Structure formats: structure tokens, C-alpha cells
């Protein structure tokens, strides 16, 4: 087995959740390369490249949220971690999962409502005339998936806190500082 091969179900899920944004990022880089070459060598930029890049950035961001939630790699300040005991750290993880679940659940609800409004208005991108409603619906669905990931994380933290390593422990195991 290769050293970087995923070994646990948690690792495999994290890898799967990272494939989508990675593919979109690669396609965005290729689009940007084609646009720059077309613009500079042939005086013919890729039509709508700016709009496609903007949509790709939205996709990358919202596709990454479930992975961040599942791996517990959201931004945190660890000023007090050295002073906190095991129970305090567990409480911190529980609170983070509860807040993440509620926040992304609320975002899913509100973005879905915006999607209905945008769809009703028939909003489209300025150049390519791509409908924006599906983008909002996808964002709402991914927020819902993120809320579900936080909820699953919460259940695991409560049920088996010792069996669920955080990202720092996983990185330390792999020798990443």
C-alpha cells in the first residue's frame, strides 16, 4: 500500500469530498491558461471566461465546505488548547459542530429562498446568459450537505470521541506540520 493511500473510511470520505473541488480547480486553471494564450497570442480570449471563472470559484468554495465540516478543519484559534483538558476540548468540538450545523442549515434555507427569487426573475449571467437559479439551488444543497456533515460529526464526537481523530492528529500521523 502506498504511504499516501487512504486507509480508513474517514480518509476515503475526505478524499472523495476533495475530488470535486480539485477537478473544478484544475478545469478553472486550464480555462485561465486557454484564455491567456488566446488573448495574448491570437487576440481571441475565451468568450465568457470571466463568468465561468466566477461560477467555478463559487463551486470550489461550496464543494469544499462539506470536507471542511467532516474533517474538522474549519478556522479556529488555539490559544487555550494547551490549558484545556480533554472534556473542554470535547465540549469545544461539540459546540463547533452544533454551530456549524445551525449556521449551514440556516444558509441552506435562505439561499434556497434566494434561488427561488432569482429563478422567478429569470436572472442570468451577463455575457453567456447562463441561468443563475441552478447555481443558487446547488449552493443551498451543498450548504445542506455541509450541515449534515457537521451533524454527523457531532454524533461521532458524542458517541465515540476517541475514535474520531481531528485533522491535526491526522496530519501529525502523516508527518505534516
Amino acid at each position: 500500500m502506498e504511504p499516501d493511500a487512504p486507509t480508513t473510511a474517514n480518509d476515503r470520505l475526505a478524499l472523495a469530498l476533495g475530488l470535486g473541488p480539485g477537478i473544478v480547480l484544475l478545469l478553472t486553471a486550464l480555462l485561465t491558461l486557454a484564455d491567456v494564450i488566446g488573448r495574448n497570442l491570437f487576440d481571441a480570449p475565451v468568450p465568457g471566461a470571466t463568468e465561468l471563472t466566477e461560477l467555478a470559484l463559487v463551486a470550489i468554495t461550496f464543494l469544499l465546505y462539506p470536507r471542511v465540516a467532516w474533517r474538522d478543519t474549519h478556522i479556529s484559534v488555539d490559544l487555550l488548547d494547551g490549558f484545556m483538558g480533554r472534556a473542554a476540548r470535547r465540549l469545544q468540538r461539540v459546540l463547533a459542530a452544533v454551530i456549524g450545523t445551525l449556521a449551514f442549515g440556516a444558509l441552506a434555507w435562505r439561499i434556497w429562498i434566494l434561488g427561488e427569487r432569482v429563478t422567478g426573475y429569470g436572472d442570468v449571467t451577463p455575457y453567456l446568459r447562463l441561468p443563475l437559479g441552478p447555481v443558487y439551488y446547488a449552493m443551498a444543497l451543498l450548504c445542506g450537505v455541509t450541515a449534515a456533515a457537521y451533524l454527523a460529526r457531532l454524533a461521532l464526537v458524542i458517541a465515540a470521541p476517541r475514535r474520531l481523530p481531528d485533522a491535526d492528529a491526522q496530519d501529525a500521523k502523516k508527518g505534516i506540520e
Side-chain angles (χ1 to χ4, degrees), residues 84-97 154-162:
M84 293 180 1
R86 179 176 287 156
R89 283 194 305 272
R90 184 173 181 214
L91 177 63
Q92 180 184 34
R93 293 172 92 184
V94 166
L95 288 174
L154 175 64
L156 289 173
V157 168
I158 290 170
R162 292 183 185 176

Side-chain angles (χ1 to χ4, degrees), residues 72-151:
D72 198 23
T73 54
H74 51 275
I75 296 173
S76 63
V77 178
D78 57 359
L79 293 174
L80 303 176
D81 283 0
F83 302 106
M84 293 180 1
R86 179 176 287 156
R89 283 194 305 272
R90 184 173 181 214
L91 177 63
Q92 180 184 34
R93 293 172 92 184
V94 166
L95 288 174
V98 167
I99 291 168
T101 300
L102 294 174
F104 276 94
L107 280 171
W109 168 55
R110 294 304 304 166
I111 293 173
W112 188 271
I113 291 170
L114 283 173
E116 290 175 340
R117 185 177 305 158
V118 165
T119 300
Y121 292 152
D123 285 354
V124 295
T125 60
Y127 184 77
L128 295 175
R129 313 291 298 163
L130 299 172
L132 289 173
V135 175
Y136 279 86
Y137 290 133
M139 289 166 45
L141 287 173
L142 287 167
C143 282
V145 170
T146 303
Y150 271 118
L151 192 58

Side-chain angles (χ1 to χ4, degrees), residues 1 5-15 70 165 170 173:
M1 180 180 294
T7 56
T8 66
N10 188 28
D11 291 340
R12 287 189 293 276
L13 181 59
L15 177 66
W70 179 250
Q170 291 170 358
K173 180 176 76 174

Side-chain angles (χ1 to χ4, degrees), residues 71-73 93 153 164-173 176:
R71 291 206 55 215
D72 198 23
T73 54
R93 293 172 92 184
R153 182 105 185 146
L164 187 64
D166 61 8
D168 292 336
Q170 291 170 358
D171 290 345
K173 180 176 76 174
I176 301 170

